[in-house]
Amino acid sequence: MSATFDSMWSDLEPVGRTSNGGYRRFAWTAQDHALREWFSAESARRGLDQSTDRAGNQWSWWWDGPGTVDEAAAGRRGAVMGSHLDSVPDGGAFDGPLGVVSAFAAIDALREAGFVPSVPVAVVNFVDEEGARFGIACAGSRLLTGQLAPERALALTDADGTTYAEALRAADRDPSTLGRDQEALDRVGAFVELHVEQGRALIDLGVPVAVSSDIWPHGRWRFDFPGEANHAGTTRLVDRHDAMIGYADLVLGARTVATQRGCVATVGKVQVTPGGVNAIPSHVTGWLDARGADEAAVVAMVEELTARSVGIGASVERESWTPTTHFDAHLASRLRGVLGTEDEVSVPILGTGAGHDAGILATAGYSTAMIFVRNPTGVSHSPAEFAEPDDCHAGVAALAASIADLAGSAAATSTTTSAATTTPTDGGDR
Ligand code: HGY
Ligand code: MN
Ligand code: MN
């Protein structure tokens, strides 16, 4: 199992790596194409049944039983593993890919052990989880579950003005087919996403894996600050309408208000017009990422920052919002039981401030859990992100044990709640 993990990892490592050791793997780009080709090759190598859903997510199904996967999947919802392969700008190697590589390695381990699943087992690659190119995180899983309206997605543009629709066409996908995919959803019984930990809890606890309990509420807001272009040298201060001043107030205000309200916030992306050193900015756009354990506190923080910026002439638009997401507590305790070690080092249960496709499926009413793998740096969304090979292998073993438990009995996975008929809300994004 570790051999196949290690060889897949070394095949994947160079794809989309930048000169500083980080990654630039944006959705529907040449790098993404290479990653999708890799996924397809690994599926074919294992004789798995491949499909791509209407949102562009890749699925790879393992079924050795009688009949086809379609026949098996009809009514016997499968056990799904996987994650995403895309990254943030200069992101780390592990956020996303660790979950996908571990899923294929878990199938290898289960096959090596002679395990035959009683329900279909899948590996999924959710497209555009980071939203790095078009701005909405978990776009693939939101589209799949109807939490992002296709018409909204197709109109999104990247920094070069390329629309999502144009990017799909360039990737040989038909934009008119984009949207919710009930057929793909009907195959999902439970989803277990393995992910590198994005924090330091497991290092401090001294254990390699944990199970997740919930995801903090979090969202993204676009702040537009108007100004007036003018000469940086000849314009009197009293005559200036400098858009950068309002932006600066937001950046410093976000840290102050987050501290006061026990939340976290940052403005990680900014666009300045015209962007000349000697030209007073006529317009500045900043994107706020705001989160916290207490949903009311996050809402109050954003309201306070919005009022502050609107008060100086800015306009503010919510681009995405995900309320507190609780994973399936029954599934979490079932997995902790499976993963708990004899010497009573029980598997911790951790909340997280990071969004995940697992959270989107949980919101849509699917039985979902996450397994976190220790990250000695605690750092993520950075080239410094890391997980030791032994811990990666421990993650594969934990995932294999979880799937063996879920796919070992014919009724291995719970069905969905009525929420599974999620329809688009405000513009399709929560
Ligand atoms: O933003 C997040 O929390 C995730 O990495 N998409
Ligand atoms: Mn991420
Ligand atoms: Mn991730």
Side-chain angles (χ1 to χ4, degrees), residues 43-54:
S43 305
R45 192 196 308 271
R46 291 167 179 78
L48 304 178
D49 186 89
Q50 297 184 50
S51 55
T52 302
D53 65 28
R54 287 161 46 90

Side-chain angles (χ1 to χ4, degrees), residues 45-251:
R45 192 196 308 271
R46 291 167 179 78
L48 304 178
D49 186 89
Q50 297 184 50
S51 55
T52 302
D53 65 28
R54 287 161 46 90
N57 305 308
Q58 288 179 290
W59 298 78
S60 184
W61 286 94
W62 170 28
W63 176 246
D64 296 338
T68 65
V69 174
D70 288 337
E71 289 155 358
R76 266 186 300 179
R77 292 171 179 274
V80 180
M81 311 176 267
S83 189
H84 61 95
L85 294 172
D86 67 314
S87 75
V88 296
D90 289 347
F94 295 82
D95 175 352
L98 184 63
V100 179
V101 173
S102 299
F104 283 123
I107 288 180
D108 297 342
L110 289 168
R111 276 175 160 169
E112 222 172 279
F115 177 80
V116 177
S118 62
V119 296
V121 171
V123 180
V124 61
N125 165 30
F126 282 112
V127 67
D128 200 7
E129 191 276 345
E130 295 293 3
R133 182 178 177 191
F134 294 101
I136 292 186
C138 300
S141 51
R142 291 181 200 264
L143 283 160
L144 167 66
T145 57
Q147 296 176 63
L148 172 61
E151 50 276 8
R152 180 171 180 223
L154 291 170
L156 294 172
T157 55
D158 68 7
D160 301 328
T162 304
T163 65
Y164 206 99
E166 288 161 344
L168 287 176
R169 279 190 209 99
D172 290 334
R173 290 195 60 78
D174 176 0
S176 69
T177 63
L178 190 71
R180 179 190 174 87
D181 193 324
Q182 194 55 50
E183 193 183 334
L185 289 171
D186 285 348
R187 287 184 167 189
V188 179
F191 175 47
V192 182
E193 180 171 3
L194 180 141
H195 204 282
V196 66
E197 186 193 359
Q198 296 163 305
R200 293 193 46 79
L202 288 176
I203 273 292
D204 298 341
L205 290 167
V207 289
V209 297
V211 169
S212 177
S213 52
D214 60 289
I215 294 178
W216 284 2
H218 61 283
R220 299 182 182 190
W221 286 261
R222 175 184 167 131
F223 283 65
D224 280 290
F225 298 92
E228 194 177 287
N230 210 328
H231 194 294
T234 57
T235 311
R236 297 185 307 167
L237 287 182
V238 71
D239 295 332
R240 293 184 183 209
H241 187 187
D242 184 344
M244 197 63 91
I245 303 297
Y247 167 73
D249 179 70
L250 169 64
V251 171

